[in-house]
């Protein structure tokens, strides 16, 4: 069974001179969120960004949780 994932990341910063992308997504709930390297939603966003911007060599995921005072990050 193939599942479709859709959505929109909140911030995409392209650092073309560094061949790098920063992808940020805000989560305003109070509940826990999967770690950045395991978060399926953000992994799908990262894959789409890397496919669109083929010049990028790395992408960093930043999950910002203001109500939990946390930022989860991972770089691929």
């Amino acid at each position: 069974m193939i599942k479709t994932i859709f959505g929109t990341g909140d911030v995409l910063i392209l650092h073309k001179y560094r061949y790098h992308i920063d992808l940020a997504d805000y989560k305003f709930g109070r509940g826990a969120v999967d770690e950045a390297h395991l978060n399926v939603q953000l992994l799908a966003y990262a894959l789409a960004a890397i496919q669109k911007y083929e010049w990028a060599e790395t992408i960093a995921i930043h999950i910002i949780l203001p109500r939990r005072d946390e930022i989860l990050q991972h770089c691929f």
Side-chain angles (χ1 to χ4, degrees):
M1 175 194 240
I2 297 174
K3 294 203 176 210
T4 302
I5 297 174
F6 63 93
T8 305
D10 293 318
V11 179
L12 190 67
I13 302 171
L14 306 174
H15 304 277
K16 197 165 185 177
Y17 63 95
R18 288 179 31 209
Y19 308 103
H20 177 77
I21 297 172
D22 281 302
L23 169 64
D25 198 47
Y26 287 85
K27 303 292 184 193
F28 289 98
R30 296 188 190 279
V33 174
D34 288 338
E35 290 292 327
H37 69 285
L38 300 174
N39 189 297
V40 175
Q41 179 186 20
L42 274 289
L43 291 173
Y45 293 170
L47 180 59
I50 287 288
Q51 287 177 339
K52 180 169 180 153
Y53 303 103
E54 295 178 358
W55 50 262
E57 296 176 0
T58 59
I59 186 165
I61 296 172
H62 310 274
I63 303 172
I64 303 166
L65 303 131
R67 291 187 178 174
R68 292 177 57 95
D69 197 27
E70 288 182 64
I71 298 176
L72 308 175
Q73 302 178 79
H74 189 76
C75 187
F76 295 97

